[in-house]
Amino acid sequence: MFDIAICEDNPIHANLLKEKVSALLQMPFRIHTFLSGNEFLENCNEKSSNYDLIFMDIVLEKDSENGIQLAQIINRHFPFAQIIFISQYLEFAPSVYETKHIYFIDKNRLDDYLKKAICAAMENLSALRSQYLHFRRNQKNYQVLKNDILFLERILRTTEIHTHGTVYTATDSLPTLLKQLSGSFVLCHRSYAVNLKAVTALNRSGITLSTGQHIPIGRTYYDQVKKAFARSVFLEE
C-alpha cells in the first residue's frame, strides 16, 4: 500500500490535488489530507504514520512554521519520505534546497509536472527500498539497512534481526524475510540465516562472524553454505 499525505491549507486546492494524484496512480494507495502542518505532525506522532510521498504547500497560513521548515522536520524523522513542494510563490524556490525533496512544482503548472514528479518519486523510493529490509511489528513499520545485518535468528514465534548496533524483533518467518534479502544471505540452520559478507570463518562446527559471534550450522546446510561462502569470497576478489 502506497501512503500519501497532502499538506495544503486551502481545502479546495487540497481536494483538487487529491483527485489529480488519484487519477495518475496505478497501484493500491491511501491519501490523507491535512489542512495544516500541525495537524500533519500530530497525526504522525499519534499513529506512527510513515508516508511514502508527501505533497507540501510552502505557505501554510495557520502554522507558525512554513512548508520548508516542516519539510526539514520530516527529513529528520522520516528520511525516506519523498517530498514534492507545490506552491504559487516562486520566490520560495531557492529555499527548498535547504531540504531533501524530489520536486518543486509551480501550482499554476500542476498538470504539466505532476506526473513527472510522481514518477521521479517512485523511482527514488524503489532504489531506496531495495537497500533495506522492511517489516512491521506492533502496528509500526521498520526498515533496516541490509548491509548492517549480521544474522537472523528464529526464536519461537519471532525472528531476531541482529545488526552491528541493534537487535530488532519481527514476527515474519525466516523464509519470508529472506525473500527480501540478496544472495549474500543464506539459511545455515533451521533457526538461523547469516549474511555471508559478515563471515570470517566457516567449518562444520559453526560460523564465526567479524564481530566474533559464533553461529551454529546444521549438518544438512553445511555443503550449500560452504559453496555459497566460496562464491561470495571469489566475487569480492
Side-chain angles (χ1 to χ4, degrees), residues 163-199:
T163 71
H164 286 280
T166 307
V167 178
Y168 299 89
T169 303
T171 54
D172 307 74
S173 66
L174 278 176
T176 298
L177 293 172
L178 283 171
K179 288 178 182 178
Q180 293 188 57
L181 297 171
S182 66
S184 65
F185 289 84
V186 295
L187 277 172
C188 58
H189 186 279
R190 66 180 181 180
S191 300
Y192 288 86
V194 66
N195 184 356
L196 294 172
K197 294 179 180 179
V199 175

Side-chain angles (χ1 to χ4, degrees):
M1 182 67 70
F2 199 59
D3 284 308
I4 301 169
I6 295 174
C7 197
E8 163 65 70
D9 62 351
N10 186 315
I12 296 175
H13 291 168
N15 289 331
L16 179 63
L17 179 57
K18 182 176 181 179
E19 291 176 4
K20 291 181 180 294
V21 171
S22 299
L24 288 171
L25 290 176
Q26 299 179 348
M27 63 181 70
F29 63 90
R30 291 184 293 243
I31 298 181
H32 304 266
T33 302
F34 303 96
L35 299 179
S36 75
N38 292 334
E39 183 186 359
F40 170 79
L41 291 176
E42 287 173 7
N43 174 268
C44 291
N45 292 332
E46 291 174 2
K47 299 183 179 180
S48 299
S49 301
N50 195 356
Y51 292 102
D52 301 295
L53 178 58
I54 301 170
F55 292 93
M56 180 66 66
D57 190 11
I58 293 180
V59 178
L60 300 167
E61 301 291 350
K62 299 178 181 179
D63 297 321
S64 57
E65 295 172 313
N66 62 33
I68 292 171
Q69 293 168 320
L70 187 59
Q72 291 170 338
I73 296 172
I74 294 167
N75 288 161
R76 290 195 297 270
H77 296 282
F78 309 101
F80 304 109
Q82 303 298 294
I83 299 175
I84 297 175
F85 287 107
I86 298 178
S87 179
Q88 61 186 352
Y89 300 102
L90 298 184
E91 62 268 27
F92 286 105
S95 299
V96 302
Y97 292 99
E98 298 173 10
T99 72
K100 292 180 181 179
H101 68 285
I102 193 69
Y103 231 90
F104 177 94
I105 302 177
D106 178 353
K107 195 173 283 187
N108 297 316
R109 301 194 64 184
L110 186 61
D111 290 336
D112 295 332
Y113 290 101
L114 183 59
K115 184 176 181 179
K116 294 178 182 178
I118 291 175
C119 288
M122 297 290 287
E123 289 176 6
N124 211 28
L125 277 171
S126 179
L128 285 170
R129 283 179 169 176
S130 67
Q131 301 175 39
Y132 289 82
L133 175 68
H134 301 267
F135 58 95
R136 187 172 176 83
R137 181 172 172 80
N138 296 331
Q139 298 183 326
K140 187 174 182 179
N141 294 316
Y142 292 87
Q143 43 200 8
V144 180
L145 190 63
K146 293 176 182 179
N147 284 339
D148 281 349
I149 299 174
L150 299 168
F151 66 96
L152 298 88
E153 180 182 4
R154 186 69 176 177
I155 302 175
L156 298 177
R157 295 187 178 181
T158 62
T159 301
E160 289 189 350
I161 302 164
H162 293 254
T163 71
H164 286 280
T166 307
V167 178
Y168 299 89
T169 303
T171 54
D172 307 74
S173 66
L174 278 176
T176 298
L177 293 172
L178 283 171
K179 288 178 182 178
Q180 293 188 57
L181 297 171
S182 66
S184 65
F185 289 84
V186 295
L187 277 172
C188 58
H189 186 279
R190 66 180 181 180
S191 300
Y192 288 86
V194 66
N195 184 356
L196 294 172
K197 294 179 180 179
V199 175
T200 58
L202 165 69
N203 55 46
R204 291 189 179 277
S205 65
I207 296 170
T208 303
L209 302 182
S210 56
T211 57
Q213 292 166 288
H214 187 79
I215 307 299
I217 185 167
R219 286 183 299 172
T220 58
Y221 295 89
Y222 178 74
D223 288 338
Q224 67 185 44
V225 174
K226 182 180 178 180
K227 290 178 182 177
F229 180 55
R231 284 197 302 269
S232 70
V233 172
F234 175 77
L235 289 173
E236 287 181 3
E237 294 177 348

